[in-house]
Amino acid sequence: MEKKAFVISIGDELLSGRRLNRDLQLISRFLAVRGIKVAGEMIVPDEEEAIKRALDHALSSADIVITTGGLGPTHDDKTRWVAAEYFNRELEYRDSLMEFVRKRLNAFEMEYIENIHRNYALVPQGFDHHYNEVGIAPAMSAKIEHNGMEKLVVLLPGPPREVEHLLSKLDYLFKDYSQGVCREFTIKTFGIPEVDITKLLKDKNFDAFNSLSILPSPYGVQLVLKKCGGDESEVQKWIDERVKFIEWILGKRYIYGYGDDTLEKVVGELLKQKCLRIATAESCTGGLVANLITDVPGSSDYFWGSVVAYSNEIKEQILGIPEPLIRHFGAVSEPVALMMAEGVRRKFGVEVGISTTGIAGPTGGTPQKPVGTVYMGISIKGRTRVILRHFSADRLGVKRLTAYTLLNELRKMLIFGEEP
Amino acid sequence: MEKKAFVISIGDELLSGRRLNRDLQLISRFLAVRGIKVAGEMIVPDEEEAIKRALDHALSSADIVITTGGLGPTHDDKTRWVAAEYFNRELEYRDSLMEFVRKRLNAFEMEYIENIHRNYALVPQGFDHHYNEVGIAPAMSAKIEHNGMEKLVVLLPGPPREVEHLLSKLDYLFKDYSQGVCREFTIKTFGIPEVDITKLLKDKNFDAFNSLSILPSPYGVQLVLKKCGGDESEVQKWIDERVKFIEWILGKRYIYGYGDDTLEKVVGELLKQKCLRIATAESCTGGLVANLITDVPGSSDYFWGSVVAYSNEIKEQILGIPEPLIRHFGAVSEPVALMMAEGVRRKFGVEVGISTTGIAGPTGGTPQKPVGTVYMGISIKGRTRVILRHFSADRLGVKRLTAYTLLNELRKMLIFGEEP
């Protein structure tokens, strides 16, 4: 039978709703591909009684109990104390753990403070500790007898990066609870709304809507296929067939990638394949396009640099846009976008130049060019294109929509050639 | 005594973690300003047993139980059925409610389907129903006797917009539980770890740790003070005094702002005040600093532009860094960071130039300059400073830590002068 896990997230700050609970997402995904279901999640404050009552509930609801948070060294961090008391164990001071913690403190250039940091080395008897190479606080785990049933209890620190790292390290703990295989596959699209995707798939009698989640967002709709079963190759085959079907319906015009792909990563790969180097000239995006491109490891192979030209003088002086052009057409115009892309390409001596000029708002709009009006330029070895869009969003939204739209148009131009 | 509420969020899709649970945030904020504390939240799937067990837990943990979700008309939507059974009530069909629901269906241009939509009009006996002018499904509420105590039970639909609307409509229900007014105030710091803040406050006998949440993050620790009471001016005075105390302890060296302030916004205000214009020369941050600065509305008043120079040729050609300097010291070095800041300041003809050069990783590190080594340069009218840091983080972490550290150092230099 499918095994169940219950997640307890510990921390006052989570209940204020001020922070996203990324941990639940990470844990759900990790367990989902192992065929383990999350039966529930409880968020509790840093209070002894609340944590104990949550443990009661979790242990009687599921086979696996995972807590996150409250493993830091301060008086707010109660998880290790409460766990010790709840499971009737002493807290042991472990030298080997302290040694590791000292190294981590060093790595963070933090001074060791005895009466605070020694708490890191305290572990309830019978619990294994697991070194945390990303943060400081170790994870802990044990198999516990509860009402005659064996339960797996895993205590994780709170920060999502640490949860992710420690889960993958602790993979082996979950092996016994895994049922057959489950596979998930994500298809990423840009430039087509959710309703159009649903309609296209329905029109072609797509047969697996029950296994498909369609996740909308202004920055691209994601399609997630999920399938479980006993036989790995059958599950994989089932998924592969549906992916092919969806690819046939939507094509590379809308599908830019899969899984963890991002537009900036896919564009980077295309540039590398074609041995093209790129530079950006940005006005309304203020450096966001360059920032996205350089988020990709290894981008220095094809990214040469960027000029963010907020002032007209800089557009003229560094990018060589003739002043009369700006005076006549305005800085937010098709000719200026074109000359910016071409100008930065020549200035940096690269094959590809891309540009943005527009009105991100909230001020600066006019009746002719309202907030959200954006021109984007692309020049590939002098083959040029300008795209005009009217985005309806706030300042940060306009910046992001511009950056992703430009990257997607460049992607299509690199794949399909001149006019996609 | 402070009254407590427990939130139960019902829905399979919430447990996948793919979606944000905005409802918790809305409910927490709504209750917080009324002096009602959220004692916990549980997310459960659309399963009868799980919902009942959650009700058990919630009713014995809190004075108020709020559920969200599961009030739609389809077979997945179980809340009204489970509530009727759990509280031992019949489901009543209410004509007045059906009339309202028909109007709402019309408003959404949805056809009435008898055997589905009549479910909307079913309400457990003794529960009041509340019309939902934003969606369709009504909210329901009742005071319930549980173990000799009176509890308020409120059933809300799931969509955040409807939760927000219905909560404000149902304000009167919470009056009896509210304890005077509550005020919250957030202080934002950078460059000092959580433990040091705690220690400093303890050393000076800070008297309100119970009302203070310390929220850590690598990009700055936030301090949130919260106080409730009968008299608004007294509460405000109490908060003001503690804020002054914390300001006295931490000072402007560590406190950069309050509430919704960001480092980029605060730096922008300082630049505007002092009539200084700024430009950035970025290597390892790849445009992130410029991107942050231009996230602030009105930044075109003081931000002139940026050069992202990933290649050495560009550092030489556009920023005028002498080639022998790069050859001798390396691109990641103190002299190059200094010349980048000074170079971009002159090139753009502005008063302030800032620069970054470092190794963001994951590749490119050497034993002398490992991944995370970053030099940051600041030039204010030729008055220069270079900061060296060794960050321990992944590529995106190094970029962000560099950007925020640089903005914070610039902030201090603008406030304190030459060498803070």
Side-chain angles (χ1 to χ4, degrees):
Chain A
M1 229 199 60
E2 192 178 26
K3 297 287 181 181
K4 289 182 183 175
F6 198 100
V7 179
I8 302 175
S9 303
I10 300 165
D12 289 347
E13 74 282 6
L14 294 168
L15 280 169
S16 74
R18 261 196 223 96
R19 253 191 232 189
L20 267 180
N21 187 2
R22 270 267 293 152
D23 290 349
L24 176 62
Q25 192 173 354
L26 291 168
I27 294 170
S28 286
R29 285 203 186 152
F30 176 84
L31 295 177
V33 294
R34 283 156 184 82
I36 302 168
K37 196 188 150 163
V38 176
E41 190 214 15
M42 206 182 314
I43 305 180
V44 294
D46 301 302
E47 286 166 18
E48 210 179 304
E49 269 318 300
I51 300 171
K52 284 183 183 168
R53 289 168 43 74
L55 283 168
D56 277 340
H57 191 91
L59 285 163
S60 52
S61 309
D63 310 287
I64 301 171
V65 175
I66 301 177
T67 71
T68 68
L71 287 178
T74 70
H75 72 285
D76 287 342
D77 297 301
K78 303 205 162 57
T79 304
R80 57 164 61 71
W81 316 95
V82 174
E85 213 180 286
Y86 184 87
F87 295 115
N88 236 323
R89 320 264 174 131
E90 295 288 314
L91 277 173
E92 285 175 354
Y93 179 87
R94 298 192 184 162
D95 289 319
S96 58
L97 186 50
M98 194 66 244
E99 214 170 291
F100 183 82
V101 165
R102 276 178 187 273
K103 273 188 213 144
R104 295 301 301 156
L105 287 169
N106 260 332
F108 286 110
E109 295 183 21
M110 286 169 71
E111 209 185 322
Y112 176 74
I113 306 167
E114 170 70 15
N115 67 344
I116 293 181
H117 292 135
R118 85 181 294 279
N119 292 335
Y120 276 130
L122 296 176
V123 180
Q125 258 178 3
F127 274 68
D128 295 324
H129 61 259
H130 308 279
Y131 298 130
N132 177 352
E133 286 84 0
V134 170
I136 302 176
M140 305 170 193
S141 69
K143 295 208 170 171
I144 301 266
E145 182 99 354
H146 178 88
N147 293 340
M149 311 265 279
E150 196 190 67
K151 310 277 177 172
L152 171 63
V153 176
V154 181
L155 316 178
L156 297 175
R161 276 186 64 221
E162 303 178 26
V163 167
E164 196 167 15
H165 171 72
L166 286 160
L167 279 177
S168 72
K169 260 188 83 163
L170 298 182
D171 188 21
Y172 70 97
L173 284 176
F174 299 91
K175 282 277 191 298
D176 297 346
Y177 300 87
S178 176
Q179 58 137 20
V181 312
C182 294
R183 286 285 171 273
E184 230 185 58
F185 195 85
T186 302
I187 299 175
K188 294 188 151 180
T189 72
F190 191 91
I192 179 166
E194 186 191 4
V195 283
D196 292 2
I197 294 176
T198 309
K199 195 175 173 306
L200 282 172
L201 291 175
K202 270 202 185 126
D203 288 351
K204 300 284 181 189
N205 298 316
F206 180 68
D207 68 346
F209 276 104
N210 279 338
S211 306
L212 183 71
S213 312
I214 303 185
L215 309 173
S217 131
Y219 312 110
V221 175
Q222 296 187 28
L223 307 176
V224 184
L225 268 167
K226 197 189 152 194
K227 181 77 177 173
C228 294
D231 182 325
E232 187 165 346
S233 69
E234 265 175 35
V235 170
Q236 196 57 56
K237 188 164 160 260
W238 189 94
I239 295 242
D240 289 347
E241 282 168 10
R242 268 84 204 157
V243 170
K244 280 228 172 61
F245 188 87
I246 295 172
E247 285 175 336
W248 170 64
I249 303 287
L250 298 179
K252 287 203 174 171
R253 179 128 314 154
Y254 296 120
I255 297 174
Y256 69 81
Y258 308 92
D260 291 332
D261 282 350
T262 57
L263 268 167
E264 53 272 25
K265 189 177 148 203
V266 168
V267 165
E269 277 160 11
L270 284 169
L271 291 169
K272 240 197 303 200
Q273 259 172 39
K274 294 176 187 282
C275 295
L276 299 169
R277 295 163 303 164
I278 191 171
T280 78
E282 306 184 42
S283 183
C284 66
T285 44
L288 175 57
V289 181
N291 182 41
L292 287 171
I293 293 175
T294 60
D295 276 350
V296 181
S299 47
S300 52
D301 288 352
Y302 49 83
F303 177 72
W304 242 233
S306 172
V307 173
V308 180
Y310 243 44
S311 76
N312 290 342
E313 296 98 295
I314 300 304
K315 289 189 182 83
E316 208 185 318
Q317 192 198 321
I318 303 190
L319 296 172
I321 319 269
E323 189 270 337
L325 210 67
I326 299 179
R327 192 161 22 92
H328 188 82
F329 294 99
V332 177
S333 64
E334 188 167 342
V336 169
L338 183 100
M339 288 299 291
M340 283 172 72
E342 190 53 21
V344 80
R345 194 178 73 76
R346 292 192 186 171
K347 184 82 186 178
F348 283 65
V350 294
E351 293 77 27
V352 182
I354 55 179
S355 70
T356 65
T357 180
I359 298 151
T363 57
T366 64
Q368 287 76 38
K369 293 174 187 171
V371 168
T373 305
V374 179
Y375 290 89
M376 291 158 269
I378 301 176
S379 168
I380 303 179
K381 295 180 182 167
R383 211 154 41 82
T384 55
R385 222 188 125 207
V386 177
I387 302 118
L388 165 64
R389 288 291 160 87
H390 299 279
F391 297 117
S392 159
D394 63 8
R395 181 178 180 86
L396 271 62
V398 170
K399 286 178 73 177
R400 285 185 70 182
L401 285 167
T402 303
Y404 288 124
T405 302
L406 175 55
L407 287 172
N408 191 48
E409 293 300 322
L410 172 59
R411 178 187 71 84
K412 289 193 287 183
M413 207 161 151
L414 289 172
I415 294 178
F416 298 114
E418 189 114 18
E419 276 293 328
Chain B
M1 230 200 60
E2 192 178 26
K3 298 288 182 181
K4 288 182 184 174
F6 198 101
V7 179
I8 302 175
S9 303
I10 300 165
D12 289 346
E13 75 284 4
L14 294 168
L15 281 169
S16 76
R18 262 197 219 97
R19 242 185 243 188
L20 268 179
N21 187 1
R22 272 267 294 153
D23 289 350
L24 176 62
Q25 195 173 349
L26 291 168
I27 294 170
S28 285
R29 288 204 182 150
F30 175 84
L31 295 177
V33 293
R34 284 157 182 83
I36 301 167
K37 197 187 148 163
V38 176
E41 190 216 17
M42 204 181 316
I43 305 179
V44 293
D46 302 301
E47 286 166 17
E48 208 179 307
E49 268 317 300
I51 300 172
K52 285 183 183 168
R53 289 168 45 72
L55 283 169
D56 277 339
H57 191 92
L59 286 164
S60 52
S61 308
D63 310 287
I64 300 171
V65 176
I66 301 177
T67 71
T68 68
L71 287 177
T74 70
H75 70 285
D76 287 343
D77 297 301
K78 303 202 161 58
T79 304
R80 58 165 58 74
W81 315 95
V82 174
E85 212 180 288
Y86 184 88
F87 295 115
N88 237 323
R89 319 264 173 130
E90 295 288 317
L91 277 174
E92 286 176 356
Y93 180 86
R94 298 192 184 163
D95 288 321
S96 58
L97 187 50
M98 194 66 244
E99 212 171 295
F100 183 82
V101 165
R102 276 181 186 271
K103 272 187 213 146
R104 296 302 299 155
L105 286 169
N106 261 332
F108 286 110
E109 296 180 19
M110 286 167 73
E111 211 184 321
Y112 176 75
I113 305 167
E114 170 70 16
N115 66 343
I116 292 180
H117 292 135
R118 86 181 294 276
N119 291 336
Y120 276 130
L122 297 175
V123 181
Q125 259 179 2
F127 274 68
D128 295 324
H129 60 261
H130 308 280
Y131 298 129
N132 177 352
E133 287 84 1
V134 170
I136 302 176
M140 306 170 193
S141 69
K143 295 206 170 172
I144 301 265
E145 182 98 354
H146 179 88
N147 293 340
M149 312 265 278
E150 195 190 67
K151 310 277 177 171
L152 171 63
V153 176
V154 181
L155 315 179
L156 298 175
R161 277 187 60 222
E162 303 178 25
V163 167
E164 198 166 15
H165 171 72
L166 286 160
L167 279 177
S168 71
K169 258 187 86 163
L170 298 182
D171 188 21
Y172 71 96
L173 283 176
F174 299 91
K175 282 277 191 302
D176 296 345
Y177 301 87
S178 170
Q179 49 146 17
V181 313
C182 294
R183 288 283 171 276
E184 231 185 57
F185 194 84
T186 302
I187 299 175
K188 294 188 150 179
T189 73
F190 191 90
I192 179 166
E194 186 190 4
V195 284
D196 292 4
I197 294 177
T198 309
K199 195 175 172 308
L200 282 171
L201 291 175
K202 265 197 188 135
D203 288 352
K204 301 284 182 189
N205 298 316
F206 180 68
D207 68 347
F209 275 103
N210 281 338
S211 307
L212 183 70
S213 312
I214 304 186
L215 310 174
S217 132
Y219 312 110
V221 176
Q222 297 188 27
L223 307 176
V224 184
L225 267 168
K226 195 187 150 196
K227 180 73 177 173
C228 296
D231 182 323
E232 187 165 345
S233 69
E234 265 174 36
V235 169
Q236 195 58 56
K237 187 164 160 262
W238 188 95
I239 294 242
D240 289 347
E241 282 168 9
R242 267 80 202 161
V243 170
K244 281 226 171 62
F245 188 87
I246 295 173
E247 285 175 334
W248 170 63
I249 304 286
L250 298 179
K252 288 204 174 172
R253 178 128 315 151
Y254 297 120
I255 297 175
Y256 69 82
Y258 308 93
D260 291 331
D261 282 349
T262 58
L263 268 168
E264 53 272 25
K265 189 177 149 202
V266 169
V267 165
E269 278 159 10
L270 284 168
L271 291 168
K272 237 192 311 196
Q273 258 172 41
K274 294 176 187 282
C275 296
L276 299 170
R277 295 163 303 164
I278 192 171
T280 79
E282 306 184 42
S283 183
C284 66
T285 44
L288 175 58
V289 181
N291 182 40
L292 286 171
I293 293 175
T294 59
D295 275 351
V296 180
S299 47
S300 52
D301 289 352
Y302 49 83
F303 177 71
W304 242 235
S306 172
V307 173
V308 180
Y310 244 44
S311 76
N312 290 342
E313 294 99 293
I314 300 304
K315 288 189 183 83
E316 209 186 317
Q317 192 198 321
I318 304 190
L319 296 172
I321 320 268
E323 189 270 338
L325 210 68
I326 299 180
R327 192 160 22 92
H328 187 82
F329 294 99
V332 177
S333 65
E334 188 166 342
V336 169
L338 183 99
M339 288 299 292
M340 283 172 72
E342 191 52 20
V344 80
R345 193 178 75 74
R346 291 192 187 172
K347 184 82 186 179
F348 283 66
V350 294
E351 293 77 27
V352 182
I354 55 179
S355 69
T356 65
T357 179
I359 298 150
T363 58
T366 64
Q368 288 76 40
K369 293 173 186 171
V371 168
T373 305
V374 179
Y375 289 90
M376 291 157 269
I378 301 177
S379 169
I380 303 179
K381 294 181 182 167
R383 213 154 41 83
T384 55
R385 225 191 121 203
V386 177
I387 303 117
L388 165 64
R389 287 292 160 85
H390 299 279
F391 297 118
S392 159
D394 62 9
R395 182 178 178 87
L396 271 62
V398 170
K399 286 179 73 176
R400 285 185 70 181
L401 285 167
T402 303
Y404 288 123
T405 303
L406 176 55
L407 287 173
N408 191 48
E409 294 299 322
L410 172 59
R411 178 187 70 84
K412 289 193 287 183
M413 208 161 150
L414 290 171
I415 294 178
F416 298 115
E418 190 113 19
E419 276 293 328

